Coordinates of all heavy atoms in Angstrom, one line a residue:
G221 N 7.5 -5.0 3.4 CA 7.3 -4.0 2.4 C 8.4 -4.2 1.3 O 9.5 -4.4 1.6
L222 N 8.0 -4.1 0.1 CA 8.9 -4.3 -1.1 C 8.8 -3.1 -2.0 O 7.7 -2.5 -2.2 CB 8.5 -5.5 -1.9 CG 8.7 -7.0 -1.3 CD1 10.2 -7.1 -0.9 CD2 7.8 -7.3 -0.3
L223 N 9.9 -2.7 -2.5 CA 10.0 -1.7 -3.5 C 10.8 -2.2 -4.7 O 11.8 -2.9 -4.5 CB 10.5 -0.4 -3.0 CG 9.7 0.5 -2.1 CD1 10.4 1.7 -1.6 CD2 8.4 1.0 -2.8
G224 N 10.4 -1.8 -5.9 CA 11.2 -2.1 -7.1 C 10.7 -3.3 -7.8 O 9.7 -4.0 -7.4
S225 N 11.4 -3.7 -8.9 CA 11.0 -4.7 -9.8 C 12.2 -5.6 -10.1 O 13.3 -5.1 -10.2 CB 10.4 -4.2 -11.1 OG 9.4 -3.2 -10.8
G226 N 11.9 -6.9 -10.3 CA 13.0 -7.8 -10.8 C 14.2 -7.8 -9.8 O 14.0 -7.8 -8.6
E227 N 15.3 -7.8 -10.4 CA 16.6 -7.8 -9.6 C 16.7 -6.6 -8.8 O 17.5 -6.5 -7.9 CB 17.8 -8.1 -10.5 CG 17.8 -9.5 -11.1 CD 17.8 -10.5 -10.0 OE1 18.6 -10.4 -9.1 OE2 17.0 -11.5 -10.1
R228 N 16.1 -5.5 -9.2 CA 16.2 -4.2 -8.4 C 15.2 -4.2 -7.2 O 15.3 -3.3 -6.4 CB 15.8 -3.0 -9.3 CG 16.9 -2.8 -10.4 CD 16.4 -1.6 -11.3 NE 17.3 -1.3 -12.4 CZ 18.3 -0.4 -12.3 NH1 18.5 0.2 -11.2 NH2 19.1 -0.2 -13.4
A229 N 14.4 -5.2 -7.1 CA 13.4 -5.2 -6.0 C 14.2 -5.5 -4.7 O 15.2 -6.1 -4.6 CB 12.4 -6.4 -6.2
R230 N 13.7 -4.8 -3.6 CA 14.3 -5.0 -2.3 C 13.3 -4.8 -1.2 O 12.3 -4.1 -1.4 CB 15.5 -4.0 -2.1 CG 15.1 -2.5 -1.9 CD 14.9 -1.8 -3.2 NE 14.7 -0.4 -3.0 CZ 14.2 0.4 -4.0 NH1 13.9 -0.1 -5.2 NH2 14.1 1.7 -3.8
S231 N 13.6 -5.5 -0.1 CA 12.8 -5.3 1.1 C 13.1 -4.0 1.7 O 14.3 -3.6 1.8 CB 13.0 -6.4 2.1 OG 12.5 -6.1 3.4
V232 N 12.1 -3.2 2.1 CA 12.3 -1.9 2.7 C 11.8 -1.9 4.2 O 11.8 -0.8 4.8 CB 11.6 -0.8 1.9 CG1 12.2 -0.6 0.6 CG2 10.1 -1.0 1.8
G233 N 11.4 -3.0 4.7 CA 11.0 -3.1 6.1 C 10.2 -4.3 6.4 O 9.5 -4.8 5.5
V234 N 10.3 -4.8 7.6 CA 9.5 -5.9 8.1 C 8.7 -5.4 9.3 O 9.3 -4.9 10.3 CB 10.3 -7.1 8.5 CG1 9.4 -8.2 9.0 CG2 11.2 -7.6 7.3
M235 N 7.4 -5.4 9.2 CA 6.6 -4.9 10.3 C 5.8 -6.1 11.0 O 5.2 -6.9 10.3 CB 5.6 -3.9 9.8 CG 4.8 -3.2 10.9 SD 3.9 -1.7 10.2 CE 2.5 -2.5 9.3
E236 N 6.0 -6.2 12.3 CA 5.3 -7.2 13.0 C 4.0 -6.7 13.5 O 3.9 -5.5 14.0 CB 6.1 -7.7 14.2 CG 5.5 -8.9 14.9 CD 6.5 -9.6 15.8 OE1 7.7 -9.2 15.9 OE2 6.2 -10.7 16.3
V237 N 2.9 -7.5 13.5 CA 1.6 -7.1 13.9 C 1.3 -7.7 15.2 O 1.3 -9.0 15.3 CB 0.6 -7.5 12.8 CG1 -0.8 -7.1 13.2 CG2 0.9 -6.9 11.4
F238 N 1.0 -6.9 16.2 CA 0.6 -7.4 17.5 C -0.9 -7.1 17.8 O -1.2 -5.9 17.7 CB 1.5 -6.8 18.6 CG 2.9 -7.1 18.5 CD1 3.8 -6.3 17.8 CD2 3.4 -8.3 19.2 CE1 5.1 -6.6 17.8 CE2 4.8 -8.6 19.1 CZ 5.6 -7.7 18.4
V239 N -1.7 -8.1 18.1 CA -3.1 -7.8 18.4 C -3.1 -7.5 19.9 O -2.7 -8.4 20.7 CB -4.0 -9.0 18.1 CG1 -5.4 -8.7 18.5 CG2 -3.9 -9.3 16.6
V240 N -3.5 -6.4 20.3 CA -3.4 -6.0 21.8 C -4.8 -5.6 22.4 O -4.9 -5.4 23.6 CB -2.5 -4.8 21.9 CG1 -1.1 -5.2 21.5 CG2 -3.0 -3.6 21.1
G241 N -5.8 -5.5 21.5 CA -7.1 -5.0 22.0 C -8.0 -6.0 22.7 O -9.1 -5.7 23.1
G242 N -7.6 -7.3 22.7 CA -8.4 -8.3 23.4 C -9.5 -8.9 22.5 O -10.2 -9.8 22.9
A243 N -9.6 -8.5 21.2 CA -10.6 -9.1 20.3 C -9.9 -9.8 19.1 O -8.9 -9.3 18.6 CB -11.6 -8.1 19.8
D244 N -10.4 -10.9 18.6 CA -9.9 -11.6 17.5 C -8.4 -11.7 17.6 O -7.6 -11.3 16.7 CB -10.2 -10.8 16.2 CG -11.7 -10.6 15.9 OD1 -12.5 -11.4 16.6 OD2 -12.1 -9.8 15.1
T245 N -7.9 -12.3 18.7 CA -6.5 -12.3 19.0 C -5.7 -13.2 18.1 O -4.5 -13.1 18.1 CB -6.3 -12.8 20.5 OG1 -6.9 -14.1 20.6 CG2 -6.9 -11.8 21.4
G246 N -6.3 -14.1 17.4 CA -5.6 -15.1 16.6 C -5.2 -14.6 15.2 O -4.4 -15.3 14.5
A247 N -5.6 -13.4 14.8 CA -5.4 -13.0 13.4 C -5.5 -11.5 13.2 O -6.2 -10.9 14.1 CB -6.3 -13.8 12.5
Y248 N -5.0 -11.1 12.1 CA -5.1 -9.7 11.7 C -6.5 -9.5 11.0 O -6.5 -9.5 9.7 CB -4.0 -9.3 10.8 CG -3.7 -7.9 10.5 CD1 -4.2 -6.9 11.4 CD2 -2.9 -7.5 9.5 CE1 -3.9 -5.5 11.1 CE2 -2.6 -6.2 9.2 CZ -3.1 -5.2 10.0 OH -2.8 -3.9 9.8
T249 N -7.6 -9.5 11.7 CA -8.9 -9.6 11.1 C -9.4 -8.3 10.5 O -8.7 -7.2 10.8 CB -9.9 -10.1 12.1 OG1 -10.0 -9.0 13.2 CG2 -9.6 -11.4 12.8
F250 N -10.5 -8.3 9.8 CA -11.0 -7.1 9.3 C -11.3 -6.0 10.4 O -11.0 -4.9 10.3 CB -12.3 -7.4 8.5 CG -13.0 -6.2 7.9 CD1 -12.5 -5.6 6.7 CD2 -14.1 -5.6 8.5 CE1 -13.1 -4.5 6.2 CE2 -14.7 -4.5 8.0 CZ -14.2 -3.9 6.8
D251 N -11.9 -6.5 11.5 CA -12.3 -5.6 12.6 C -11.0 -5.1 13.3 O -10.9 -3.9 13.6 CB -13.2 -6.3 13.6 CG -14.6 -6.4 13.1 OD1 -15.0 -5.7 12.1 OD2 -15.3 -7.3 13.6
N252 N -10.0 -5.9 13.4 CA -8.8 -5.5 14.0 C -8.1 -4.4 13.2 O -7.6 -3.4 13.7 CB -7.8 -6.7 14.2 CG -8.2 -7.5 15.4 OD1 -8.9 -7.1 16.3 ND2 -7.7 -8.7 15.5
K253 N -8.1 -4.6 11.8 CA -7.5 -3.7 10.9 C -8.3 -2.4 10.9 O -7.7 -1.3 10.9 CB -7.4 -4.3 9.5 CG -6.6 -3.5 8.5 CD -6.4 -4.2 7.2 CE -5.4 -5.3 7.3 NZ -5.0 -5.8 6.0
A254 N -9.6 -2.5 10.9 CA -10.4 -1.3 10.9 C -10.3 -0.4 12.1 O -10.3 0.8 12.1 CB -11.9 -1.6 10.7
E255 N -10.0 -1.1 13.3 CA -9.9 -0.4 14.5 C -8.4 -0.5 15.0 O -8.2 -0.7 16.2 CB -10.9 -0.9 15.6 CG -12.3 -0.8 15.1 CD -13.3 -1.4 16.1 OE1 -12.9 -1.4 17.3 OE2 -14.4 -1.8 15.7
Y256 N -7.5 -0.3 14.1 CA -6.1 -0.6 14.4 C -5.5 0.3 15.6 O -4.6 -0.1 16.3 CB -5.3 -0.4 13.2 CG -5.1 1.0 12.7 CD1 -3.9 1.7 13.0 CD2 -6.0 1.7 12.0 CE1 -3.7 3.0 12.6 CE2 -5.9 3.0 11.6 CZ -4.7 3.7 11.9 OH -4.5 5.0 11.5
E257 N -6.1 1.5 15.7 CA -5.5 2.4 16.7 C -5.7 1.9 18.1 O -4.9 2.2 19.0 CB -6.2 3.8 16.6 CG -5.7 4.5 15.3 CD -6.5 5.8 15.1 OE1 -7.7 5.7 15.2 OE2 -5.8 6.8 14.8
S258 N -6.8 1.1 18.4 CA -7.0 0.5 19.7 C -6.7 -1.0 19.8 O -6.5 -1.5 20.9 CB -8.5 0.8 20.1 OG -9.4 0.1 19.2
R259 N -6.6 -1.7 18.7 CA -6.5 -3.1 18.7 C -5.1 -3.6 18.3 O -4.8 -4.8 18.6 CB -7.5 -3.8 17.9 CG -9.0 -3.6 18.3 CD -9.9 -4.5 17.5 NE -11.3 -4.5 17.9 CZ -12.2 -5.4 17.5 NH1 -11.8 -6.3 16.6 NH2 -13.4 -5.3 17.9
I260 N -4.4 -2.8 17.6 CA -3.1 -3.3 16.9 C -2.0 -2.4 17.3 O -2.1 -1.2 17.4 CB -3.3 -3.3 15.4 CG1 -4.4 -4.2 14.9 CG2 -2.0 -3.7 14.7 CD1 -4.1 -5.7 15.2
R261 N -0.8 -3.1 17.6 CA 0.4 -2.4 17.7 C 1.4 -2.9 16.6 O 1.5 -4.1 16.4 CB 1.0 -2.6 19.1 CG 2.3 -1.8 19.3 CD 2.9 -2.0 20.7 NE 3.7 -3.2 20.8 CZ 3.3 -4.3 21.5 NH1 2.2 -4.3 22.2 NH2 4.1 -5.4 21.5
Y262 N 1.9 -1.9 15.9 CA 2.9 -2.2 14.8 C 4.3 -1.9 15.3 O 4.6 -0.9 15.9 CB 2.6 -1.4 13.6 CG 1.2 -1.6 13.0 CD1 0.3 -0.6 13.1 CD2 0.9 -2.7 12.3 CE1 -1.0 -0.7 12.5 CE2 -0.4 -2.9 11.7 CZ -1.3 -1.9 11.9 OH -2.6 -2.0 11.3
E263 N 5.2 -2.8 15.0 CA 6.6 -2.6 15.3 C 7.5 -3.1 14.2 O 7.2 -4.2 13.6 CB 7.0 -3.3 16.6 CG 6.4 -2.7 17.9 CD 6.9 -3.4 19.1 OE1 7.9 -4.3 19.0 OE2 6.3 -3.2 20.2
L264 N 8.5 -2.4 13.8 CA 9.5 -2.9 12.9 C 10.3 -4.0 13.6 O 10.6 -3.9 14.8 CB 10.4 -1.8 12.4 CG 9.8 -0.6 11.6 CD1 10.8 0.4 11.2 CD2 9.0 -1.2 10.4
A265 N 10.6 -5.0 12.8 CA 11.4 -6.2 13.3 C 12.6 -6.4 12.5 O 12.6 -6.2 11.2 CB 10.5 -7.4 13.3
D266 N 13.7 -6.7 13.1 CA 14.9 -6.9 12.4 C 15.8 -8.1 13.0 O 17.0 -8.1 12.9 CB 15.8 -5.6 12.4 CG 17.0 -5.8 11.4 OD1 16.8 -6.5 10.4 OD2 18.0 -5.2 11.7

Side-chain angles (χ1 to χ4, degrees):
L222 287 308
L223 285 177
S225 310
E227 289 304 309
R228 293 177 181 268
R230 70 275 186 195
S231 165
V232 294
V234 180
M235 188 168 74
E236 187 165 4
V237 179
F238 297 92
V239 180
V240 296
D244 300 344
T245 55
Y248 195 20
T249 65
F250 178 80
D251 288 341
N252 282 343
K253 187 172 285 190
E255 300 179 26
Y256 73 98
E257 290 175 311
S258 60
R259 293 188 177 194
I260 298 294
R261 185 178 79 248
Y262 301 108
E263 291 184 8
L264 294 181
D266 190 32

